[in-house]
Amino acid sequence: MSTSANPVITAWSAISPYGIGRQAFEEGVGSGRVALTPCDRKTWGTRDEVVGLVPDFDLRAVLGKKGTKAMSRVTGLALATTGDLLKEIPQDHRAGLVLGTTAGSLQTTMEFTRTSLAAQFPHHVDAAVIPYTVMNASAARCAIWYGLKGPNSTIAGGRPTALHALGYARRLIRAGRAETVLCGAAEEYSRARSWFAYHDRAGSRPVLGEGCAMFALQAGPGSEGEALAELVAVDTRISPTPDRTAETVEAAVRRVLAAAPDGAEVWTACPSGADDSPGRQELSVLADLFGSHVLTHPLPSVIGDAGSASAAFQLAQVLSRARRDPSAAGRLAVITSVDVSGPVAAVLLRLSDRRGNEETSKQ
Amino acid sequence: MSASSSPPATDLRRRVVVTGLGVVSSIGIGVPEFTEGLREGRNGASPITAFDTTGYEHTNGCEVVGFEPEPFVHTLGDQLGRAGTFAAAAARMAMNDAGLTEGELRRQRGHITIGTSDAETRDLDTLAGQDLAGGPESMDPALAGRLSADRLSTAIARELGLSDVESATLTTACSAGNYAIGNGLDAIRAGEADFAICGGADAVCRKTFNIFYRLRTIAPDYCRPFDKNRQGILTGEGAGILLLESAESALRRGARIYAEVLGYGLNCDGYHPVAPDQASLTNCMRLALDDAGVDFRDVDLISAHGTGTKTNDVTEVAAIREIWGESAPRTVSLKSMIGHTMGAASALAAVAGTLAITHGFIPPTINHVETDPECDIDCVPNHSVPADLKIVQSNGLAFGGNNSVIVLGRFQETA
């Protein structure tokens, strides 16, 4: 790796529709397998045809019965993913954690109010649910479970929010507020989310996915362990209107490329693949700038729209592909994401010089 | 972990100052009225109207009454819920207050961070009611489409027509305002932004009232921080926005400088979902003072988190005593006046601290009858006092152990 001042990603973990753990994700991305399954509408209370669910994610089976009463699904996903990641890096109780979110668990929060409205007295609600009705619940619970006392933050930036989380984590490291920051994003599939998506899309039903991906970002020089990629640049901005997404993406991409090391070539560009007009504009801008042949295959078509976790999965997708492709070594990856409500983000990574990183997973 | 070294006093590019303020609160809308409210020690409490309070014994809150967004919010219509409207309105106020225009901001690289506890959870409560009454098909699409917390910061960018702007919402609950101000501080210090619009916004909602009610921490009448007979919080609402820029930029354009943001600290208890942790809070205050390059003995005023619950006030005062011993500075709680405005709380406290430095007075802790021996500090009971303030520290604590403390100072070009 270069000895620049940029922080580096040293490890990652994911729980996705491809299964639990990084290896399942790598294999899924490698094979291009479609991980969408028919939706059990009765159990979920939704009307989706197909859905990208994390298979066999019974929260209490995965995390145990102690301390998981009333836990929201999104918190379970974040806890399990963070636990996996912590096995890969040296212990550091001063580590920070930054988690991207839409608005915590909309399901748990809505159900809490629904219960209150339906009860004989409005305050007849289960106190055990309370912590999960607050939007910082997942990040805070990770801190409690794993004894992380560093900066702990929850960030909402629309679909690109995982890229915001990366930028925020980098800022904490640069300011000397943490040496290691675990960052990523999590999203759950739920009845609430499904119906909100339906109403937001004027009655069409997007194919929804879910899951969580978390990355260890560490101060560059002298950081422990094997760097997978260097975080060269992050740019986030707002598209003035949905129909101006293309020019906004282009401006973001040009700004991150301006920070590229001399002579480094772009190995891949990874779009969000959002199934809407801004998503299509993003795709065509990346194709124009880099050529269609270097684009990664959009993830939503194989695992569903993972909402605020989607950009975290894009980052995992790029790192998965780089590990299997010797030609990626030392080259650049551009990751972009857009949201119809305005947020646009671009990230530039420089992939490790090493060909294929050592397998350290203990799964 | 070493805190980041405070910038040398000579480097005006790395020193961050407040040049604009925007306020929506239950004791005053806009800077002049809010300043007056602080000086007079106004009580923002009134019976809650945001939702039907049938079935609750205690029904007071601190709502913003008579707020007209039209002069401040021009473009966004039903894309915004109440919290987003507060945020966008207070942001425009702050821009105007700083003597800046949209055109001037658009020519620079900007930064927006808004802290919130609930974003548009008030709409989520409405949707829950619609779902219960008529099933999920009957929910209002306009409300369903604006639940993402990022809308609060995006709303500001869209309202002011800013595109080259980093924009995010930090949902770190009751301390989120300080998180947002700290993020803006770091962005300007690092040269990543020319200006930052930072603060917090929240709207009263059934869900949060219900949480505190269920935890038996809603006060029956008023919020009485540090009082022997305190019984908890009143849920409140509003927005506090600060416009930040480098000292160099402010001096170059001849702006009025309210105060300097000297530093901040943030950490996590990693201990309990709802109870505060004394050692962790003490550590957070130390991190903030180190970052600010301030000796604790030079702090003139602490704006406490000061919720007025039994546990918070005892824990917070004990943490203050850990650092200051018997010579703690005067320590006030704004929540006595404006209630607990959740993610806006520490942002409104930062606005108040800035105004206190500017106008030379300490806002009071109102509704105070008798100080609890267990939180024995001078809380400036009931009446504001004139004071020459150079350094003000403002504490923020949150569910989940998300602490953040900021340090404000009177700006002097040669520190």
Side-chain angles (χ1 to χ4, degrees), chain A residues 26 29-30 228 266-269 293-296 317-333 351-357:
Chain A
E26 286 178 334
V29 164
L228 304 174
V266 173
W267 166 70
T268 195
H293 61 287
V294 302
L295 300 192
T296 55
Q317 179 188 23
V318 166
L319 294 175
S320 297
R321 286 190 52 229
R323 207 163 78 86
R324 291 167 176 238
D325 182 353
S327 77
R331 290 166 75 193
L332 303 174
L351 297 153
S352 165
D353 293 321
R354 285 190 179 70
R355 263 195 46 188
N357 302 291

Side-chain angles (χ1 to χ4, degrees), chain A residues 66-83:
Chain A
K66 190 175 180 302
T68 51
K69 180 176 181 274
M71 185 177 283
S72 62
R73 185 171 173 88
V74 69
T75 295
L77 291 164
L79 266 179
T81 310
T82 302

Side-chain angles (χ1 to χ4, degrees), chain B residues 95-318:
Chain B
M95 179 187 78
N96 294 343
D97 189 50
L100 289 162
T101 62
E102 291 174 31
E104 284 168 308
L105 294 185
R106 282 173 203 159
R107 285 196 293 273
Q108 304 180 67
R109 171 64 178 172
H111 173 109
I112 300 170
T113 311
I114 300 304
T116 192
S117 201
D118 289 317
E120 306 299 6
T121 299
R122 187 181 176 118
D123 292 337
L124 188 64
D125 290 342
T126 305
L127 290 159
Q130 292 171 346
D131 184 26
L132 188 66
E137 291 273 12
S138 71
M139 296 193 292
D140 181 345
L143 304 189
R146 65 188 196 197
L147 294 171
S148 179
D150 76 283
R151 292 293 181 107
L152 270 53
S153 47
T154 306
I156 295 171
R158 286 254 168 107
E159 173 64 27
L160 302 179
L162 304 175
S163 179
D164 187 4
V165 62
E166 175 186 356
S167 157
T169 300
L170 293 176
T171 58
T172 45
C174 316
S175 55
N178 274 355
Y179 277 74
I181 294 163
N183 195 30
L185 169 73
D186 278 348
I188 294 173
R189 271 186 184 174
E192 292 170 4
D194 299 317
F195 68 89
I197 293 169
C198 294
D202 259 308
V204 164
C205 65
R206 176 185 282 274
K207 185 267 292 187
T208 290
F209 178 84
N210 211 14
I211 286 175
F212 285 99
Y213 199 95
R214 178 66 184 76
L215 296 173
R216 303 209 169 104
T217 49
I218 295 281
D221 54 355
Y222 300 136
C223 173
R224 308 174 191 282
F226 314 119
D227 194 283
K228 201 171 124 207
N229 295 312
R230 67 188 180 280
Q231 287 178 274
I233 74 162
L234 294 182
T235 58
E237 64 183 0
I241 302 284
L242 289 75
L243 193 136
L244 309 177
E245 60 191 298
S246 72
E248 184 197 48
S249 153
L251 292 166
R252 191 177 54 233
R253 67 182 189 90
R256 171 205 41 210
I257 296 176
Y258 279 110
E260 181 169 5
V261 185
L262 296 169
Y264 96 115
L266 75 170
N267 72 354
C268 186
D269 297 350
Y271 158 70
H272 192 277
V274 296
D277 178 50
Q278 184 185 325
S280 183
L281 173 58
T282 303
N283 185 38
C284 192
M285 292 192 281
R286 288 198 171 115
L287 286 171
L289 292 167
D290 283 353
D291 188 51
V294 166
D295 184 315
F296 72 90
R297 283 166 292 218
D298 295 333
V299 174
D300 298 308
L301 172 69
I302 297 175
S303 175
H305 186 62
T307 56
T309 64
K310 288 284 177 204
T311 313
N312 177 88
D313 294 6
V314 170
T315 308
E316 190 171 12
V317 171

Side-chain angles (χ1 to χ4, degrees), chain A residues 47 156 171 175 177 191 238, chain B residues 1 4 131 137 163 169 192:
Chain A
R47 289 197 203 149
R171 183 170 289 144
R177 303 188 189 282
R191 177 180 178 273
I238 298 290
Chain B
M1 189 184 89
S4 59
D131 184 26
E137 291 273 12
S163 179
T169 300
E192 292 170 4

